[in-house]
Amino acid sequence: MDRVIWFDQLGRDDVALVGGKNSSLGELVRHLAPAGVRVPDGFATTADAYREYLGTDGLRETVRDQLARLHAGAPLAEVGAAVRAAVLAAPLPEALAGALTEAYAELARRAGQPDPDVAVRSSATAEDLPEASFAGQQETFLNVRGPEALLEACRRCFASLFTDRAIDYRERLGYDHLTVALSVGVQLMVRSDLGGAGVMFTLDTETGFPEAVVVSAAWGLGETVVSGQVDPDEYLVFKPLLKDPALNPVLSAQTGPKRCKAVYAEEGLTRTVETTPEERAARVLTDPEVRNLAEWAVAVEAHYGCPMDIEWAKDGRTGELFLVQARPETVQSRRHGGVLRRFRLTGSAEPLLRGIAVGEAIGAGPVCLLDSPVDLDRFPEGAVLVTGITDPDWEPLMKRASAIVTDHGGRTSHAAIVSRELGVPAVVGTGTGTTALADRRPVTVSCAEGAEGNVYAGRVPYETTDTDLSALPRTRTRVMLNLADPAAAFRWWQLPADGVGLARTEFVVAHQVRVHPMALVHPERLSADERRRVDALTDGFADRTDYFVDRLAAGVARIAASRWPDPVIVRLSDFKTNEYAGLVGGRPFEPVEANPMIGWRGASRYYDERYREGFALECRALRKVREELGLTNVVAMIPFCRTPEEGDRVLAELAANGLPRGGNGLQVYVMAEIPANIVLAEQFAERFDGFSIGSNDLTQLTLGVDRDSDLLTHLFDESNRAVTRSIEHLITTAHEAGRHVGLCGQRPSNDQAFTRFLVRAGIDSISVTPDSFATVKQHVAEAERGL
């Protein structure tokens, strides 16, 4: 009987022999280590060795009798405790103990250390399969040193096959408890206690967007990330651009607070300590390290042929990176791609608190505030579970919850992983959930509004819609998306859209940047209070302008990546002066205008000395997206350009800031929203590569109607013949010059007749909000059939 097998002799077909975790480690060592992926050396006990152990001292019969009691109605906690006690009381067979001791001695020889510290991990023969995830249900022991400590850790791993949570999970999935065996993996430790560790997924865990690698990172051993004790850094990498070594496809790097870390204990195995202020403010990984990990992740995914969930570690002594576990991702990969289900709030309320959204659903119910797991009958079915963090002991309660809220944890925490698998919406890492929410008060938990999850007071009405993507027709006219919130961009990746017709940078500036760009260039013009607010937002940036560039670039890049390689038309800033003044530090830089709607906005700002330096920051952000990150599908669009000569001045500013029209394939569009854009369309077409009709402003200025006036609502009509003739003239003139014409207003979403008009007029593209996409696509197809 083989009781111990080295990783380099195992492969992923050996699940029945050494469990999912250890067979996967063997696969990594045998097939990916030769390609440069570093995996620590080690060995595994076999399922036969576990069955041999069960055969000692009548242990198998004891386990069977106790499980029979469970099926007869005995409490799970009582049965689990009895089984674990029996397992721990049984000595390891002499042959198995000897094989473990010999293998550990050989590992010590290979490592060149007398008693190397090792990780001892449980690996069940039914775990880490594409249809089920047993992650975290059995025990792992870190910093195990010496043969005696190893043997004790192995017995404790065997006993952990019968934790209450593991028994419950197997019961739920219908696995026979005695046919599931347990292998113990013994692996050299990576000294991440002196460096960092974390988890990465080869897709976006909330939306299933397949072109991303999401990396979570914290200081110290990785257990704090997996358990949710720490709010980690998060890095987003765009896979398609990893192939070009000249590019940096790290789209965003979000520094988490990382308030604690797990390190080696002087006595015992590990302990958790607080991080220093410097550690909390610093990134765990550099961009090159993130890229290195992402490249490994893509290689692992390609080898396995499915999305992967991977654990990594960085040795603080050598700086080397390692992969320490890899398993198939089990949530998004099981979703059916033919139907897109979306939740949407139909009522409104002020959020009580915010955190990281897990999933895309909405749930509501009374708050059940707990600091430790309780008996199932004490947790009301459909309640909202609110606690600090969760671990596998919470899973029976989590299955009964309508939603989950935690104070701590990131996207790879236990609460996040399990809630995704259960399909329960969760908002994690709120910081104050257990103090801000009152027990038994009804709340609504929404994960349907992007990457940020919200918890609202009361039961806010919501709806669910299903879109059959396979039923959507093909059309000659491009149907594109209007997107503003980068956090929500990945939600719509499955829609067969032809790109993004309007990405508004104002949303990113207002919500992600929040600071007026000129306040970063000229902080001396700010009041003391404004300086403090700007300093707080830009903390960690030696050059405050880098804050604006990085935040804006990250937002634009996320939108551009969501539709790659289709065009993404990014409109440069079009705040009105009153809106700009509302940004942090904005008031000193903005005049008070009687009518900001037709005042100092759009193109007229870009070459003006009062804003030119701010526009330069916008250009830096766009250059970073296109040239450093490599997202050359971004098209620049100029809003509210009043004259062709003004267009010349703006194009000159773009060129002066490293964005010449045509350079590196850059196209520059202009908004057609002023009657002058229509009347002088031929001259504008000489300067720009395309037009995007802003039907709201065009209607307002053509009819002389204030679009915000309740008194004139009956006169505001995009289908008025004065407006439609303008659109027809623009399309004809632009097409004669070989220029693209699109429309990015709301009217096609609400008016099928207006959609028919646009198609008959020969519009090249129509851009609508994602929730209107399916309807407009159908209307466009019907209009094209009528031509």
Side-chain angles (χ1 to χ4, degrees):
M1 178 194 301
D2 284 329
R3 296 178 176 87
V4 170
I5 302 179
W6 290 87
F7 289 157
D8 59 12
Q9 299 171 33
L10 295 169
R12 59 176 153 174
D13 294 331
D14 292 319
V15 173
L17 181 63
V18 292
K21 191 175 299 180
N22 289 332
S23 65
S24 186
L25 280 170
E27 188 77 12
L28 291 177
V29 170
R30 285 178 66 180
H31 297 286
L32 289 161
V37 177
R38 283 190 290 271
V39 184
D41 197 7
F43 57 87
T45 65
T46 63
D48 288 338
Y50 169 78
R51 295 188 183 100
E52 180 184 39
Y53 181 41
L54 276 188
T56 61
D57 295 343
L59 189 54
R60 179 177 285 103
E61 289 69 28
T62 300
V63 171
R64 184 180 290 114
D65 291 346
Q66 289 296 330
L67 292 173
R69 291 182 58 232
L70 176 67
H71 296 148
L76 172 61
E78 182 180 307
V79 169
V83 173
R84 292 191 298 276
V87 173
L88 287 170
L92 288 178
E94 186 175 332
L96 175 57
L100 280 165
T101 302
E102 288 177 16
Y104 181 70
E106 171 59 17
L107 188 63
R109 187 191 66 76
R110 295 184 183 187
Q113 302 174 36
D115 278 329
D117 42 325
V118 294
V120 181
R121 294 187 172 95
S122 306
S123 179
T125 58
E127 74 173 357
D128 294 346
L129 305 175
E131 67 272 12
S133 172
F134 288 72
Q137 292 184 16
Q138 282 81 47
E139 295 290 355
T140 290
F141 302 98
L142 305 179
N143 188 26
V144 176
R145 191 171 301 172
E148 291 303 318
L150 172 62
L151 297 180
E152 175 62 20
C154 287
R155 284 198 311 128
R156 291 169 67 183
C157 283
F158 288 144
S160 74
L161 189 59
F162 297 98
T163 59
D164 296 350
R165 59 188 177 264
I167 294 172
D168 175 76
Y169 192 77
R170 289 195 295 272
E171 285 284 319
R172 181 153 53 94
L173 268 66
Y175 284 94
D176 184 329
H177 298 279
L178 287 172
T179 61
V180 175
L182 192 125
S183 164
V184 177
V186 179
Q187 187 177 37
L188 285 172
M189 283 288 296
V190 177
R191 290 304 303 268
S192 58
D193 60 307
L194 305 174
V199 178
M200 56 182 171
F201 288 85
T202 61
L203 47 60
D204 180 62
T205 50
E206 311 316 321
T207 66
F209 178 61
E211 301 297 347
V213 176
V214 181
V215 182
S216 296
W219 299 114
L221 302 169
E223 63 188 58
T224 59
V225 177
V226 176
S227 68
Q229 289 176 269
V230 69
D231 301 324
D233 293 349
E234 185 172 293
Y235 309 95
L236 179 67
V237 184
F238 188 48
K239 290 181 193 173
L241 302 182
L242 279 168
K243 300 170 186 174
D244 188 340
L247 300 177
N248 174 22
V250 181
L251 301 188
S252 62
Q254 184 175 344
T255 305
K258 308 180 295 291
R259 292 188 174 87
C260 64
K261 63 179 179 179
V263 298
Y264 281 11
E266 294 176 4
E267 295 183 6
L269 302 180
T270 64
R271 63 191 179 101
T272 301
V273 298
E274 289 189 359
T275 51
T276 65
E278 292 76 19
E279 287 174 320
R280 296 175 191 179
R283 285 176 49 169
V284 175
L285 296 170
T286 64
D287 276 3
E289 289 171 333
V290 174
R291 183 192 185 111
N292 188 170
L293 287 172
E295 288 172 340
W296 287 356
V298 169
V300 172
E301 180 182 54
H303 180 75
Y304 276 78
C306 64
M308 297 296 290
D309 169 0
I310 302 166
E311 294 184 28
W312 61 271
K314 177 182 176 180
D315 194 305
R317 299 171 303 182
T318 66
E320 291 179 311
L321 295 167
F322 293 86
L323 300 189
V324 295
Q325 286 190 54
R327 50 187 163 263
E329 191 274 342
T330 59
V331 178
Q332 295 292 344
S333 56
R334 287 184 293 172
R335 286 190 174 179
H336 298 293
V339 176
L340 182 67
R341 168 163 288 187
R342 286 292 173 261
F343 293 76
R344 185 175 72 91
L345 292 171
T346 56
S348 60
E350 283 295 314
L352 299 173
L353 75 160
R354 295 181 169 90
I356 297 170
V358 177
E360 299 176 277
I362 299 174
V367 168
C368 186
L369 190 60
L370 297 173
D371 55 13
S372 61
V374 298
D375 292 335
L376 282 179
D377 56 4
R378 290 175 54 197
F379 184 85
E381 184 84 36
V384 174
L385 173 62
V386 180
T387 188
I389 62 171
T390 67
D391 60 32
D393 291 329
W394 290 83
E395 289 176 23
L397 301 184
M398 297 170 77
K399 288 187 293 182
R400 296 171 62 100
S402 62
I404 297 164
V405 178
T406 68
D407 288 343
H408 307 293
R411 297 186 195 282
T412 53
S413 64
H414 174 268
I417 291 170
V418 173
S419 63
R420 278 190 210 103
E421 182 175 321
L422 296 174
V424 175
V427 178
V428 301
T430 62
T432 58
T434 54
T435 55
L437 301 179
D439 198 37
R440 291 183 284 187
R441 292 285 181 88
V443 296
T444 299
V445 177
S446 172
C447 297
E449 300 164 87
E452 187 173 68
N454 294 300
V455 181
Y456 299 96
R459 293 179 179 267
V460 182
Y462 66 91
E463 66 180 13
T464 305
T465 57
D466 290 334
T467 302
D468 184 357
L469 300 177
S470 63
L472 294 178
R474 293 180 178 274
T475 58
R476 174 193 60 79
T477 308
R478 294 180 182 178
V479 182
M480 306 172 80
L481 300 179
N482 293 336
L483 293 176
D485 183 2
F490 287 174
R491 295 177 61 202
W492 308 106
W493 70 271
Q494 291 172 280
L495 289 178
D498 297 302
V500 173
L502 176 63
R504 297 188 293 117
T505 57
E506 304 95 83
F507 186 96
V508 182
V509 173
H511 295 273
Q512 267 79 50
V513 180
R514 297 170 55 195
V515 180
H516 194 292
M518 293 298 289
L520 300 170
V521 178
H522 291 290
E524 73 279 359
R525 295 177 59 181
L526 303 180
S527 68
D529 179 61
E530 288 172 324
R531 283 288 294 271
R532 281 192 293 270
R533 293 176 67 191
V534 169
D535 288 346
L537 287 169
T538 60
D539 186 40
F541 286 84
D543 183 342
R544 299 298 194 239
T545 63
D546 289 343
Y547 165 81
F548 182 95
V549 173
D550 285 1
R551 288 292 182 95
L552 180 56
V556 171
R558 190 179 179 100
I559 295 174
S562 73
R563 304 313 311 182
W564 174 269
D566 291 325
V568 171
I569 302 171
V570 177
R571 186 177 72 187
L572 294 164
S573 64
D574 192 27
F575 281 121
K576 300 161 192 70
T577 50
N578 58 320
E579 296 167 338
Y580 258 126
L583 296 174
V584 175
R587 184 71 273 171
F589 303 97
E590 299 299 328
V592 176
E593 294 186 300
N595 192 350
M597 184 73 75
I598 54 173
W600 191 40
R601 61 177 284 200
S604 63
R605 298 178 65 95
Y606 302 161
Y607 55 86
D608 191 304
E609 290 298 334
R610 292 170 295 177
Y611 187 72
R612 175 179 275 144
E613 293 166 299
F615 183 62
L617 299 186
E618 296 185 44
C619 292
R620 277 177 55 193
L622 216 58
R623 279 188 65 190
K624 179 175 181 178
V625 172
R626 285 181 51 84
E627 297 177 12
E628 293 182 30
L629 304 182
L631 291 160
T632 51
N633 61 328
V634 166
V635 176
M637 184 159 68
I638 309 304
F640 226 75
C641 186
R642 293 173 168 92
T643 69
E645 293 74 24
E646 184 167 67
D648 291 335
R649 299 187 71 174
V650 170
L651 290 170
E653 287 296 322
L654 286 171
N657 285 287
L659 290 170
R661 177 185 166 209
N664 195 23
L666 174 64
Q667 290 189 311
V668 183
Y669 283 18
V670 65
M671 289 289 293
E673 52 193 343
I674 303 169
N677 303 138
I678 310 301
V679 176
L680 301 177
E682 187 175 352
Q683 294 179 49
F684 278 102
E686 293 172 356
R687 292 159 169 83
F688 295 100
D689 299 291
F691 296 86
S692 183
I693 300 167
S695 58
N696 283 341
D697 271 346
L698 183 61
T699 302
Q700 172 178 243
L701 296 173
T702 300
L703 300 179
V705 174
D706 182 353
R707 73 188 196 194
D708 295 329
S709 171
D710 294 336
L711 298 175
L712 301 177
T713 302
H714 63 290
L715 293 173
F716 188 89
D717 182 7
E718 292 103 318
S719 63
N720 182 280
R721 191 62 184 133
V723 180
T724 58
R725 285 189 66 179
S726 295
I727 293 173
E728 288 170 336
H729 174 74
L730 175 66
I731 292 172
T732 299
T733 306
H735 284 178
E736 288 174 353
R739 301 298 186 234
H740 173 99
V741 182
L743 182 139
C744 56
Q746 183 63 21
R747 187 62 179 257
S749 303
N750 307 323
D751 186 347
Q752 187 173 1
F754 192 71
T755 302
R756 283 198 300 270
F757 155 72
L758 293 172
V759 172
R760 285 199 306 268
I763 197 90
D764 295 301
S765 67
I766 298 172
S767 186
V768 297
T769 56
D771 56 353
S772 304
F773 176 85
T775 300
V776 173
K777 189 76 169 173
Q778 296 280 8
H779 291 170
V780 168
E782 291 173 18
E784 290 181 350
R785 286 195 293 270
L787 292 177

